Amino acid sequence: MGLKDYYTWTFPKTPEHVAQELDLLGRSLVVVGVIGRSRCVLANKMRAFGMEPPVDHEPSDGQLQCYYKPGTSTLLLHFETTFDDAILGQQIDESMEQDGAPFDFDGFYERMKCRFVRMMLLALHVCHILVYVETGQTFDPSLVTIFQLMKFAREQHLMQFLPSLLKETPAGRLLGEKCRLCTPRILFLFENFTQEEGKTRECVSACEFQTEDSIYELLRHHQIITNSCLSSLLALPNNKQFVFYNAHDQLHADRLLQSIEFLNLDMRKLDVKEEEDDLEILELAPFDGFVKSFGESFESTNYEEQQYKTEHTVWHFLQRHVQDALVGCFDEGSFKQVPQRGQLQMLNALEWHDCIAKLHKLLVSSAGTQESLNEIRNEDYVFLQSFDESLNYENKFWAHLCEIGLKMGIEAYKKAAPAVYGSSMHQQLLSEATLAFEEEGRGPPAEASIAKMTAICLRHWQDGRQQCEQLSLRSQPCNQPKEMPHDKHNSGVIHVSSCNCGRTQGRREDPFSLRQANYEFYEHMVKMCNLCVKVKQFKFPIFEPTNNEYRAAAFEVAFPLLHAGKNRLAQDAELDPNEEDEELPTGEQEEQHITQSNGCSQPLSPTFGSDLNMSIAGFGVSLNESEPCFDQGSSSEAESTSSGTSSESNNELVLQLKEPVKKHEESCDPDSIAPLPSMCLTSTTEYLPGLVHTLSKVGLLPLFPSWSLVCVGPSSIYSHNTGLQEHFQSGFLSGANFLLPWDVQLRLVHATKHYHNSHQPHMSKKQQQRYRKHGDRMVLKIFVGFEYECSRGHRFMMCRPDRVLRGGADIERDTCSKMVHSNMPLYYPCPCRSQNNYLAQLMRIHVVTPKAPVNIIVDPKVCMGKDKYTFTLGSMVPPRLSQSAYWILRLPYVYQGDDALIAPPEKLEPDDIMAGGYLLAGMFGIAETDPKLDLNDQGHLDTNEPGTFTRI
């Protein structure tokens, strides 16, 4: 024992000399359990009793440290629990090392609480007196919850097997059916006193009495203490103090503050004089007046207060209750209302040691293990295996709330769910169900309950209510049931569109295929429109298989344009090996080819760009070629003639006219039959899945035409004074139904001097008079209109790339000339008033050809998409529009490249209207009327014979 007046050891190894002294006590041993909270590193709660553990002591959860003062009958058990800060820190470190997942605070708190309940249950059965140590200054109400859990565990489970377990021990017969020494008396020790109040006897006693009243009311209210000691969990003494505030002994003091206080006492003197030695000491003070006394003299003290401090100690406070147990009146005054004698058993040291060893092994050291289970063959013992889950009342409470919230969420989802709905509606209903769940659902199980609700709602949705949701070409989902078979997709969205000729408008379903969008709808409208049946229609080349084994052509999805461009360069090199371009370096040839075929505008001559001073350019046999396939001599001669006469007249377009060839000469001239290039051969086994573009693989054609070119009648049906009437072109907005006049000056250059007489029979009488009057010069008046149409059926013309036509005031002399020489946006905001900003699409180009012996050539090119596809008509020879006629070119409704659909933009920025695509400038050309062709015959529209024309 050394200088200490007590013995200390760790349970269960009791030193022999201590065991001998305890045996001498017989059955007068009073066991006091010290349990509660501590903040020191050693988890020591015995400092108030003047006791400390050994220097090499290491605290551990569930460990018991025993203390005994010789000459007394008191054995103190120090319970080290998870309520001690040192042990709590150890548990946190172990949890962080074991679990790689984020720290679960709720689960960790429940485990620590259940471990503390186990230790409290052990103390409840092996101690006569319990001293609960509190580091705070007020009573912790959460301790009432711990007592409730103890009562539940003891009455509902432990009492089912404890009698049979302790029956085998020497103390089993003495303990009886209650299996404990007595109803333990509980005392409360507060290590700190309120600093604001004075530490006088009256203040301390008043605080203790007030705390006793509040504790008694709480324990009585929650039935922790009752009138019957046999049914009560704990006991409180009657007319005796059971709350102690340590107001004088400073426990766990701050060492720094103590050092400063000792320094202050050493420097302070009663007779401070301003001498030289004293001044030197005063200079060491941190501030003025540091060594002066602030209150009453250190020697002046009250004798009664000193005596109160001496007597008011924890040991004296505890011994008063120990004496009650020794004299046998421990239970007589335990309850204030009905005094009665309870069961108090005093055991000797050996009997008590066997009893606590059995309970410690059961409740603390090996609780729930298979070894403990084998010792007791009782089904109720299984309770200890699920001890934590049984006492986790908070999780049960949260689980109950989450169960209610789960029912409310599922009910809200099913109540609002329609018969068939898509994923967006499912997510919206799921969000509403989550809000309904959160009205009741709380706590840690909420996340798992929401996941369960999500799974139940998903099964409900997929049980015959899931929508097909196949996206249309306009990004609208199909609203048909997914599980039920349906012939075709239907999104329920209806658009209003006009037919090929523009006379009749009809309702079209949202298209889900390219064929449905660009072909089937217009073929259906032909049956409904009286004019579409009668019009002359240009026949675009389409794929014609020779057998049933045909398929769509495959492309490199990642780089379709690059792949096609390389093939094009290789084929051009094979077709034209003698061209002068071969002298250029390879890099310059590729750069020139890319500029011609995939630029923002079509390949033009250097003089192209002014409105009236235009050059002659050759047009190739195939739209896929960048070089013409016909005789270059005439084109070169026309260019030289044009450049030679440009100084004389800058406002004229020069057109070279050839002398008509006689039939017998034509048949005898071998040069008149142009050989068909190899690249004009089309495939009969592979078709083009999308639209034809400038880099399409040579020889591939689409299954159906996506464009339409029709002649709706003579030029006289259009009146520039009234514009397009409703009975002829329906759906136009007011003021936006006019075509733009385009005056083109033309100067004819004859190949031979006999051309004048031979060509005159093909002119009308009025044209011959004008020709004789003006010589070889004439003015062509062409009417052109770029029509846009929105999904609601509103149609309008444009007068500029960024302006809608607003009546005759917007029609100026050179308006159309600027239009045809500018890139036109493919999409433009519709001026119709609506909450939604509908985008109108360039759908038709109206052309009224002049009354002159020339043909207007149309060669539109639409550039769009991230890969900058340039879509063309796909005809090997651009269509020639007959003279004095009204022609309408309908553009595709949907554009698709080799690999994917090119969807229209959701919204256009005002400063970038070309972002969605554009129609390239320079789509019109002019050529001499071929006398071999009958202009009133539809057959001339299908010819693939190359020709020469001038781009306007």
Side-chain angles (χ1 to χ4, degrees):
M1 187 167 58
L3 299 176
K4 300 179 181 179
D5 58 348
Y6 58 90
Y7 297 105
T8 178
W9 69 95
T10 303
F11 178 84
K13 297 180 180 180
T14 306
E16 294 182 1
H17 62 282
V18 178
Q20 294 176 1
E21 292 190 20
L22 294 176
D23 291 339
L24 296 176
L25 296 176
R27 293 191 175 180
S28 61
L29 180 65
V30 179
V31 183
V32 178
V34 181
I35 195 170
R37 302 181 184 274
S38 66
R39 293 181 180 176
C40 63
V41 179
L42 298 178
N44 183 27
K45 297 180 282 291
M46 301 296 296
R47 182 168 293 184
F49 298 90
M51 300 179 183
E52 291 184 358
V55 180
D56 58 347
H57 176 75
E58 294 182 2
S60 176
D61 180 30
Q63 184 172 260
L64 300 179
Q65 189 72 19
C66 303
Y67 296 87
Y68 173 69
K69 277 188 176 185
T72 64
S73 300
T74 307
L75 175 63
L76 290 92
L77 289 181
H78 180 267
F79 291 82
E80 296 178 356
T81 67
T82 55
F83 274 28
D84 297 318
D85 289 354
I87 297 178
L88 183 63
Q90 295 176 3
Q91 297 294 328
I92 293 176
D93 294 338
E94 293 178 2
S95 299
M96 297 295 288
E97 293 176 0
Q98 294 176 1
D99 300 334
F103 186 76
D104 183 11
F105 174 79
D106 296 301
F108 177 80
Y109 170 74
E110 291 299 328
R111 291 195 300 271
M112 297 302 101
K113 183 181 64 176
C114 291
R115 291 291 299 177
F116 182 76
V117 171
R118 289 178 182 269
M119 297 295 290
M120 286 289 289
L121 284 174
L122 177 62
L124 183 71
H125 291 85
V126 300
C127 297
H128 298 93
I129 301 174
L130 287 179
V131 179
Y132 186 84
V133 181
E134 180 64 61
T135 57
Q137 299 176 358
T138 57
F139 177 74
D140 185 7
S142 64
L143 188 59
V144 178
T145 304
I146 301 296
F147 293 155
Q148 289 178 325
L149 294 177
M150 292 169 55
K151 187 175 182 179
F152 166 76
R154 170 178 164 77
E155 295 178 356
Q156 300 297 327
H157 298 282
L158 293 182
M159 294 306 297
Q160 303 296 328
F161 58 86
L162 275 182
S164 59
L165 174 65
L166 297 179
K167 188 177 181 179
E168 301 175 359
T169 63
R173 181 178 55 81
L174 299 175
L175 295 179
E177 296 180 356
K178 293 301 179 183
C179 301
R180 57 180 179 175
L181 301 177
C182 64
T183 303
R185 180 178 294 184
I186 185 167
L187 309 177
F188 297 92
L189 168 61
F190 292 87
E191 292 185 341
N192 298 310
F193 183 68
T194 308
Q195 299 295 330
E196 289 76 9
E197 301 180 4
K199 296 183 179 180
T200 61
R201 181 173 185 175
E202 292 77 9
C203 293
V204 174
S205 299
C207 184
E208 291 173 345
F209 293 152
Q210 184 179 1
T211 306
E212 286 182 357
D213 292 339
S214 61
I215 292 176
Y216 177 78
E217 291 178 2
L218 281 173
L219 299 184
R220 287 285 296 180
H221 176 73
H222 293 90
Q223 298 182 353
I224 304 302
I225 59 174
T226 60
N227 294 336
S228 173
C229 67
L230 299 178
S231 61
S232 179
L233 180 69
L234 298 170
L236 291 177
N238 186 17
N239 297 326
K240 278 192 178 181
Q241 179 184 357
F242 61 89
V243 172
F244 180 87
Y245 271 94
N246 181 30
H248 305 289
D249 295 335
Q250 189 174 8
L251 304 178
H252 313 295
D254 192 340
R255 300 295 178 86
L256 178 61
L257 295 179
Q258 286 181 347
S259 301
I260 294 176
E261 183 65 23
F262 292 153
L263 177 62
N264 188 13
L265 293 176
D266 292 340
M267 297 178 64
R268 182 165 60 88
K269 295 182 179 180
L270 298 178
D271 52 347
V272 177
K273 298 181 180 178
E274 295 183 358
E275 298 178 358
E276 293 182 0
D277 296 339
D278 296 333
L279 292 177
E280 293 178 358
I281 297 177
L282 291 175
E283 289 178 357
L284 300 177
F287 54 87
D288 294 339
F290 178 74
V291 298
K292 294 181 180 178
S293 127
F294 293 96
E296 191 178 2
S297 174
F298 184 77
E299 287 76 13
S300 60
T301 55
N302 190 343
Y303 177 76
E304 294 182 357
E305 290 295 331
Q306 284 186 348
Q307 186 179 5
Y308 171 71
K309 291 180 182 179
T310 304
E311 296 177 354
H312 191 266
T313 61
V314 180
W315 183 258
H316 292 94
F317 166 73
L318 176 62
Q319 289 302 312
R320 290 195 293 267
H321 298 279
V322 172
Q323 292 300 321
D324 289 344
L326 292 175
V327 299
C329 61
F330 188 75
D331 294 305
E332 291 182 355
S334 296
F335 305 96
K336 293 185 177 181
Q337 296 184 6
V338 182
Q340 56 181 321
R341 184 171 182 81
Q343 179 187 8
L344 174 62
Q345 294 295 337
M346 306 293 287
L347 303 178
N348 58 36
L350 182 59
E351 293 172 343
W352 174 84
H353 189 276
D354 293 340
C355 179
I356 189 176
K358 200 76 173 179
L359 291 176
H360 186 273
K361 185 177 181 180
L362 177 70
L363 295 174
V364 179
S365 60
S366 59
T369 61
Q370 187 65 31
E371 180 183 357
S372 301
L373 186 59
N374 293 333
E375 296 180 2
I376 298 299
R377 297 179 180 179
N378 194 318
E379 296 179 357
D380 296 323
Y381 181 76
V382 183
F383 159 76
L384 291 178
Q385 290 182 315
S386 59
F387 188 85
D388 294 358
E389 290 76 7
S390 301
L391 298 186
N392 197 348
Y393 70 96
E394 292 180 346
N395 276 355
K396 295 179 180 179
F397 174 71
W398 298 130
H400 177 68
L401 291 182
C402 289
E403 184 178 357
I404 297 176
L406 182 64
K407 294 180 180 179
M408 294 178 61
I410 295 174
E411 183 181 357
Y413 180 91
K414 293 182 177 180
K415 185 176 181 180
V420 178
Y421 52 98
S423 58
S424 58
M425 176 62 72
H426 169 69
Q427 293 298 331
Q428 181 180 353
L429 294 176
L430 201 58
S431 300
E432 296 176 357
T434 304
L435 293 177
F437 170 84
E438 292 176 350
E439 292 181 1
E440 294 291 340
R442 297 288 192 279
E447 184 176 356
S449 298
I450 291 178
K452 182 178 179 181
M453 181 188 67
T454 303
I456 294 175
C457 295
L458 181 62
R459 289 196 300 267
H460 178 77
W461 175 45
Q462 294 176 348
D463 187 15
R465 299 172 181 84
Q466 188 174 3
Q467 189 175 327
C468 174
E469 293 190 280
Q470 175 70 33
L471 290 180
S472 69
L473 302 186
R474 294 291 184 178
S475 301
Q476 301 293 337
C478 175
N479 58 9
Q480 299 295 322
K482 184 176 182 179
E483 302 299 334
M484 297 177 59
H486 45 279
D487 298 336
K488 64 177 183 178
H489 297 289
N490 186 4
S491 65
V493 179
I494 301 297
H495 305 283
V496 179
S497 296
S498 302
C499 61
N500 288 328
C501 69
R503 182 174 184 177
T504 306
Q505 286 187 316
R507 296 163 61 88
R508 71 183 305 167
E509 296 180 354
D510 199 21
F512 282 83
S513 65
L514 189 66
R515 183 183 185 91
Q516 182 183 1
N518 293 344
Y519 182 73
E520 291 182 354
F521 168 75
Y522 298 103
E523 289 298 310
H524 174 70
M525 290 299 295
V526 169
K527 303 176 183 179
M528 301 177 58
C529 179
N530 296 330
L531 183 58
C532 285
V533 182
K534 305 175 184 178
V535 297
K536 295 180 180 181
Q537 187 173 4
F538 181 83
K539 294 182 179 179
F540 292 94
I542 59 175
F543 172 74
E544 296 180 359
T546 56
N547 51 50
N548 295 330
E549 298 181 358
Y550 59 91
R551 59 184 176 84
F555 298 93
E556 292 186 8
V557 178
F559 305 99
L561 295 182
L562 180 61
H563 177 71
K566 291 181 179 179
N567 293 340
R568 181 62 46 73
L569 291 174
Q571 293 169 359
D572 289 348
E574 294 177 1
L575 292 176
D576 300 318
N578 297 323
E579 290 186 356
E580 297 179 358
D581 291 344
E582 292 185 355
E583 299 177 359
L584 296 176
T586 306
E588 296 182 8
Q589 292 181 12
E590 294 181 359
E591 182 179 359
Q592 179 181 359
H593 176 79
I594 295 174
T595 304
Q596 293 176 355
S597 60
N598 198 24
C600 295
S601 60
Q602 299 185 24
L604 306 176
S605 63
T607 57
F608 188 89
S610 60
D611 294 344
L612 297 177
N613 185 17
M614 305 177 184
S615 63
I616 302 173
F619 227 84
V621 175
S622 172
L623 293 180
N624 296 326
E625 295 179 285
S626 60
E627 298 293 339
C629 295
F630 52 86
D631 184 14
Q632 301 290 330
S634 60
S635 177
S636 302
E637 184 180 354
E639 290 186 9
S640 62
T641 306
S642 176
S643 60
T645 57
S646 60
S647 59
E648 299 175 0
S649 176
N650 292 330
N651 296 328
E652 296 178 341
L653 180 66
V654 180
L655 179 64
Q656 179 172 329
L657 303 179
K658 293 184 179 180
E659 183 177 1
V661 183
K662 296 181 181 181
K663 292 184 179 181
H664 67 278
E665 295 178 355
E666 178 183 358
S667 60
C668 298
D669 188 4
D671 298 334
S672 62
I673 302 177
L676 186 64
S678 61
M679 63 184 299
C680 298
L681 298 177
T682 58
S683 174
T684 59
T685 58
E686 291 184 343
Y687 61 88
L688 193 66
L691 276 67
V692 180
H693 54 86
T694 54
L695 298 181
S696 294
K697 189 175 180 181
V698 177
L700 295 180
L701 294 176
L703 283 174
F704 51 87
S706 296
W707 304 72
S708 172
L709 179 61
V710 296
C711 179
V712 296
S715 59
S716 59
I717 62 176
Y718 173 71
S719 174
H720 194 52
N721 296 327
T722 58
L724 299 174
Q725 298 298 312
E726 184 69 21
H727 67 277
F728 176 54
Q729 295 288 319
S730 59
F732 272 91
L733 299 178
S734 177
N737 58 340
F738 289 89
L739 304 183
L740 301 178
W742 184 19
D743 294 338
V744 179
Q745 298 185 16
L746 186 66
R747 183 168 65 88
L748 306 179
V749 177
H750 309 301
T752 62
K753 60 182 179 180
H754 303 289
Y755 177 81
H756 179 271
N757 295 329
S758 62
H759 192 71
Q760 279 189 358
H762 297 284
M763 298 184 184
S764 63
K765 188 174 182 180
K766 185 177 295 185
Q767 290 177 346
Q768 293 178 7
Q769 293 176 0
R770 182 180 302 175
Y771 182 79
R772 289 192 295 267
K773 182 177 180 179
H774 297 283
D776 292 344
R777 291 176 174 81
M778 65 174 58
V779 178
L780 302 180
K781 182 176 287 295
I782 308 172
F783 290 90
V784 179
F786 294 89
E787 176 198 329
Y788 289 76
E789 184 178 23
C790 74
S791 59
R792 301 176 67 188
H794 299 142
R795 305 166 65 186
F796 57 90
M797 299 289 185
M798 299 282 287
C799 65
R800 286 206 307 261
D802 58 349
R803 180 177 173 83
V804 180
L805 182 64
R806 299 290 185 181
D810 287 342
I811 303 176
E812 300 178 358
R813 184 174 183 180
D814 58 345
T815 300
C816 188
S817 179
K818 296 179 180 179
M819 287 279 291
V820 296
H821 297 147
S822 302
N823 294 338
M824 294 297 296
L826 190 61
Y827 300 97
Y828 193 81
C830 184
C832 61
R833 295 181 179 180
S834 174
Q835 295 180 355
N836 299 325
N837 295 325
Y838 289 93
L839 286 182
Q841 181 178 347
L842 178 60
M843 286 302 301
R844 291 170 190 82
I845 299 175
H846 300 248
V847 182
V848 178
T849 59
K851 299 178 181 179
V854 292
N855 291 134
I856 303 299
I857 310 297
V858 290
D859 179 29
K861 288 183 173 63
V862 178
C863 184
M864 64 184 307
K866 295 181 179 179
D867 297 326
K868 292 300 180 183
Y869 283 100
T870 303
F871 297 99
T872 63
L873 294 177
S875 177
M876 302 183 66
V877 175
R880 295 191 175 199
L881 308 185
S882 59
Q883 60 183 0
S884 187
Y886 194 129
W887 290 87
I888 295 179
L889 173 66
R890 185 206 26 101
L891 278 70
Y893 185 73
V894 173
Y895 294 87
Q896 179 178 329
D898 294 334
D899 53 344
L901 172 76
I902 303 177
E906 297 181 359
K907 184 179 180 182
L908 283 178
E909 298 296 334
D911 55 346
D912 190 12
I913 59 175
M914 302 291 182
Y918 46 87
L919 175 69
L920 294 176
M923 64 167 290
F924 294 103
I926 187 170
E928 176 191 4
T929 302
D930 194 341
K932 296 181 295 182
L933 298 177
D934 185 5
L935 298 182
N936 296 324
D937 187 9
Q938 183 181 350
H940 79 285
L941 299 176
D942 308 331
T943 181
N944 290 329
E945 183 180 353
T948 304
F949 71 92
T950 303
R951 189 184 301 277
I952 303 180

